[in-house]
Amino acid sequence: MTSTNRRALIASAFALAAVTGASAPAAAQAITPRISEAEVRAAAEAWGKGLVSISLAYDENENNFEKAKAVASDFIDKAYGYQLGPVLFKPTLTREPQTFRTTKAGALAYFVGHDKAYPYDDGFALLPWRSVSYKPVGIQINGAVASTMGKLELRDKNDNPTVVDKTWVFKKDDRGVVRIIVHHSSLPFVGY
């Protein structure tokens, strides 16, 4: 569906709401593409594959930072919804004053480092990741938006695991593509 057709359908929904007395948001929501649990799981899997692709680009090209940066930029464009507005991104290994990343530049710095504006970033995706699996504890669907929380297990080239707690919120864009709009990651709490 083109954005012009989508706008026409939304306008029609508002007009129908005015005539029938239904609430306009409910009428407009009826034509919003619903995200499915399968799409959420596929987006989480694609995120893991994207992370591994950055790592492989770096390793297989003799630690070629420029190749890894290009792969990372493409990954961010495909996975995240920065074109929809600020993404609420809190990566695992960030610290003040740059804990949160609401721009693509901040996300790119986290994944590949080498950005003077983000001096504490070493490039999380440049680590030798080889597999990623996600085990959600739950997925909540709300129309075109879905939230999920669970454990993400990353394995390096020596099969050593790293487990992080992950929360994602996904939203379908106007072309029906599932995008990350909230990403929170942290290391599991181990007690005092």
Side-chain angles (χ1 to χ4, degrees), residues 8-186:
L9 285 172
I10 291 171
S12 296
F14 278 98
L16 178 62
V19 171
T20 64
S23 70
Q29 190 173 15
I31 60 171
T32 302
R34 182 173 171 81
I35 193 169
S36 70
E37 184 173 321
E39 288 172 313
V40 170
R41 291 179 184 276
E45 184 178 331
W47 185 92
K49 288 179 180 177
L51 179 72
V52 170
S53 72
I54 300 165
S55 179
L56 289 173
Y58 185 69
D59 285 354
E60 291 173 356
N61 292 283
E62 299 177 17
N63 297 335
N64 184 331
F65 168 72
E66 291 304 321
K67 176 67 174 169
K69 183 177 179 182
V71 171
S73 180
D74 185 55
F75 161 68
I76 292 166
D77 288 343
K78 288 179 181 173
Y80 290 85
Y82 286 103
Q83 70 277 28
L84 302 173
V87 171
L88 306 179
F89 182 21
K90 191 286 178 192
T92 312
L93 303 175
T94 57
R95 63 185 210 190
E96 290 294 340
Q98 297 171 318
T99 303
F100 303 100
R101 308 299 170 89
T102 59
T103 65
K104 179 183 175 181
L108 187 60
Y110 179 73
F111 284 119
V112 296
H114 298 83
D115 185 330
K116 291 179 184 174
Y118 297 88
Y120 301 117
D121 290 353
D122 295 325
F124 179 77
L126 303 183
L127 296 171
W129 304 121
R130 294 302 178 263
S131 70
V132 177
S133 63
Y134 179 62
K135 294 178 180 65
V137 296
I139 297 173
Q140 187 181 74
I141 307 289
N142 293 295
V145 177
S147 304
T148 183
M149 181 182 288
K151 297 284 185 187
L152 189 78
E153 182 181 87
L154 305 102
R155 290 194 171 265
D156 66 17
K157 64 183 176 182
N158 297 317
D159 205 37
N160 296 313
T162 299
V163 177
V164 297
D165 295 335
K166 185 71 74 179
T167 301
W168 275 309
V169 176
F170 297 99
K171 180 179 181 178
K172 279 193 174 180
D173 67 14
D174 63 353
R175 295 178 301 140
V177 178
V178 176
R179 307 281 186 183
I180 298 167
I181 59 170
V182 175
H183 172 158
H184 182 275
S185 185
S186 58

Side-chain angles (χ1 to χ4, degrees), residues 151 165 186-192:
K151 297 284 185 187
D165 295 335
S186 58
L187 294 170
F189 180 65
V190 293
Y192 294 107

